[in-house]
C-alpha cells in the first residue's frame, strides 16, 4: 500500500472543524474513514448525530467510503466503540487520529474542579481510550499510525488554559512512549499542534489571523504522518496556515558536580546549568 490508500482510519471529533478536514483528505487519498463525533457544543455540552453524518455525506458525495460513529471518546466504551465501528464496517483498523476536543477556559485561580476534569477527560482520556482499543490490532498486524492533537497552549502555556494546556501536553507524553514501544512493530506515534480558524478559536483570534488559518491546512500533515512511507515517530509537528515545522526539546550541557552540592554551591553555578547557548536537541 502507498500513502493511506486502502487504510482504515478512525478520526475522533471529525464532525466539524479540523477533524472534518482530516476526514475529507483521508477519504480523498483512498482511506476508509470512521467519522466519530458526539456532536456537542464547544464546551462539550449537548450532542447529536448531525455533525458526524454531515461529514460522512460529504465523503460519500465525493465518492469516498466512510461510516459515522457518535460515541463519547472520553469513556472506555466510547473509545472502544470507535475502533469497533472500524472493525465491524471495514474489517480492520490502521490509523487512529485523536482530534476530539472541548474548551472550558478560566484563569487557574477561578477554575473549578469540574472545568479541570471535563477538559482532561476529553483530551487525555479521550485520546487514551481509542488508542488503547486499537493498540492490540496495530501490534498484531505489524503496522499502525497514531496521530494525536496537542497545542501550543500546552507546549508554551496560555492564559486561562491550565486545564487544556495540561491535557494537551499529556498526550505528547503518551506518544513519546508509544513511539518507543511501537517501533518494533512499525507503529509510529506523533502529535500535531494545529493553529486554525474554527469555532474553538473564533473569539480568541483577530479576523485578519483567522482568514489565513483555514483548518484544511492542518490535514496534509496528518495524512502524511499516517502514510505508509512516513517513518517519523515521537515528533511534534506544528501546522499553522501554510507553515509546517517541528518542535523539539533541547538540553543545555549543564554543569556536573563530582560531589553532592549544597544549595548555595548549586545556586552559584546556576548560570552554567541553565545556559542554553550550546544546547543540543534531545533524542
Ligand atoms: P472543534 O470544536 O470544531 O472540533 C472539536 C470536535 O470534537 C467537535 O466536532 C466536537 O463535537 C468533538 N468532540 C468534543 N468532545 C468529544 C467527545 N468526547 N467525543 C467525541 N467527539 C467530541 O474544534 P477544532 O478547532 O477543530 O479542534 C480540533 C482539535 O484541535 C482539538 O483537539 C483542539 O483542542 C485542537 N486544537 C485546535 C486549535 C485551533 O487553533 N483550532 C489549536 C490547538 C489545538
Amino acid at each position: 500500500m502507498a500513502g493511506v490508500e486502502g487504510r482504515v482510519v478512525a478520526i475522533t471529533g471529525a464532525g466539524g472543524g479540523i477533524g472534518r478536514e482530516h476526514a475529507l483528505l483521508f477519504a480523498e487519498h483512498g482511506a476508509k474513514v470512521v467519522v466519530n463525533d458526539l456532536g456537542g457544543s464547544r464546551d462539550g455540552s449537548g450532542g447529536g448525530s448531525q455533525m458526524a453524518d454531515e461529514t460522512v455525506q460529504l465523503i460519500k458525495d465525493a465518492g469516498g467510503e466512510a461510516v459515522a460513529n457518535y460515541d463519547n471518546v472520553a469513556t472506555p466504551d466510547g473509545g472502544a466503540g470507535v475502533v469497533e465501528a472500524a472493525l465491524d464496517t471495514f474489517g480492520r483498523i490502521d490509523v487512529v487520529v485523536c482530534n476530539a476536543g472541548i474548551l472550558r477556559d478560566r484563569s487557574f485561580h477561578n477554575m473549578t474542579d469540574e472545568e479541570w476534569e471535563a477538559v482532561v477527560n476529553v483530551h487525555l482520556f479521550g485520546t487514551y481510550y481509542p488508542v488503547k482499543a486499537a493498540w492490540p490490532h496495530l501490534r498484531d498486524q505489524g503496522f499502525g499510525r497514531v496521530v494525536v492533537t496537542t497545542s501550543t497552549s500546552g507546549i508554551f502555556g496560555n492564559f486561562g488554559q491550565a486545564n487544556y494546556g495540561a491535557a494537551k501536553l499529556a498526550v505528547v507524553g503518551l506518544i513519546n512512549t508509544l513511539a518507543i514501544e511501537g517501533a518494533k512493530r512499525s507503529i509510529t506515534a506523533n502529535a500535531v499542534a494545529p493553529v486554525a480558524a474554527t469555532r474553538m478559536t473564533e473569539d480568541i483570534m483577530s479576523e485578519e489571523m483567522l482568514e489565513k488559518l483555514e483548518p484544511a491546512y492542518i490535514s496534509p500533515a496528518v495524512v502524511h504522518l499516517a502514510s505508509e512511507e512516513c517513518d517519523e515517530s515521537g515528533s511534534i509537528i506544528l501546522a499553522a496556515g501554510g507553515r509546517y515545522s517541528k518542535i523539539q526539546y533541547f538540553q543545555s550541557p549543564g554543569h556536573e558536580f563530582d560531589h553532592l552540592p549544597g544549595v548555595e554551591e548549586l545556586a552559584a553555578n546556576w548560570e552554567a546549568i541553565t545556559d542554553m547557548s550550546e544546547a543540543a536537541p534531545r533524542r
Side-chain angles (χ1 to χ4, degrees):
M1 281 190 220
V4 295
E5 173 122 43
R7 294 291 181 194
V8 176
V9 184
I11 307 172
T12 71
I18 298 168
R20 173 172 286 180
E21 299 299 336
H22 293 346
L24 296 175
L25 195 62
F26 270 106
E28 197 184 310
H29 284 259
K32 298 164 191 172
V33 185
V34 176
V35 175
N36 159 266
D37 207 297
L38 56 55
S41 60
R42 189 172 87 160
D43 70 0
S45 56
S49 56
Q50 197 188 337
M51 291 174 73
D53 287 345
E54 273 176 14
T55 303
V56 169
Q57 198 54 51
L58 288 170
I59 290 173
K60 287 188 172 166
D61 289 349
E65 284 186 72
V67 67
N69 169 275
Y70 318 112
D71 280 321
N72 174 0
V73 292
T75 65
D77 287 351
V82 178
V83 174
E84 274 159 29
L87 299 173
D88 291 349
T89 314
F90 302 120
R92 57 186 291 136
I93 177 79
D94 298 295
V95 180
V96 183
V97 179
C98 298
N99 161 84
I102 62 166
L103 285 182
R104 299 273 171 99
D105 289 2
R106 182 112 42 207
S107 70
F108 186 61
H109 177 65
N110 294 315
M111 184 174 289
T112 64
D113 291 349
E114 195 278 332
E115 287 163 341
W116 172 269
E117 278 172 24
V119 167
V120 170
N121 278 341
V122 174
H123 291 279
L124 177 54
F125 287 79
T127 295
Y128 164 70
Y129 291 130
V131 174
K132 179 69 176 164
W135 196 254
H137 302 280
L138 307 184
R139 276 175 54 93
D140 287 352
Q141 70 200 14
F143 178 86
R145 297 284 181 263
V146 174
V147 183
V148 305
T149 310
T150 183
S151 169
T152 54
S153 298
I155 300 164
F156 304 121
N158 196 22
F159 191 94
Q161 294 197 317
N163 49 1
Y164 182 75
K168 282 309 208 187
L169 205 52
V171 299
V172 174
L174 175 66
I175 61 108
N176 285 341
T177 290
L178 295 187
I180 293 166
E181 294 187 4
K184 264 202 264 177
R185 293 175 195 255
S186 301
I187 304 171
T188 66
N190 292 284
V192 167
V195 182
T198 66
R199 67 181 189 177
M200 208 173 251
T201 47
E202 64 194 358
D203 53 359
I204 19 187
M205 287 184 195
S206 66
E207 277 290 317
E208 201 190 345
M209 280 175 81
L210 289 170
E211 270 169 27
K212 295 184 186 141
L213 296 171
E214 286 288 321
Y217 278 104
I218 316 304
S219 306
V222 174
V223 173
H224 175 62
L225 288 170
S227 66
E228 168 114 29
E229 49 276 16
C230 178
D231 58 7
E232 187 83 33
S233 199
S235 297
I236 303 173
I237 303 300
L238 179 64
R243 180 184 290 271
Y244 304 87
S245 53
K246 179 167 170 170
I247 296 177
Q248 195 169 9
Y249 293 117
F250 276 62
Q251 182 176 359
S252 70
H255 178 84
E256 189 167 355
F257 300 92
D258 59 5
H259 56 277
L260 174 65
V263 176
E264 294 80 3
E265 196 184 359
L266 187 117
N269 285 282
W270 196 248
E271 214 166 298
I273 292 168
T274 58
D275 177 9
M276 297 300 285
S277 58
E278 287 178 46
R282 282 299 309 263
R283 233 168 18 101

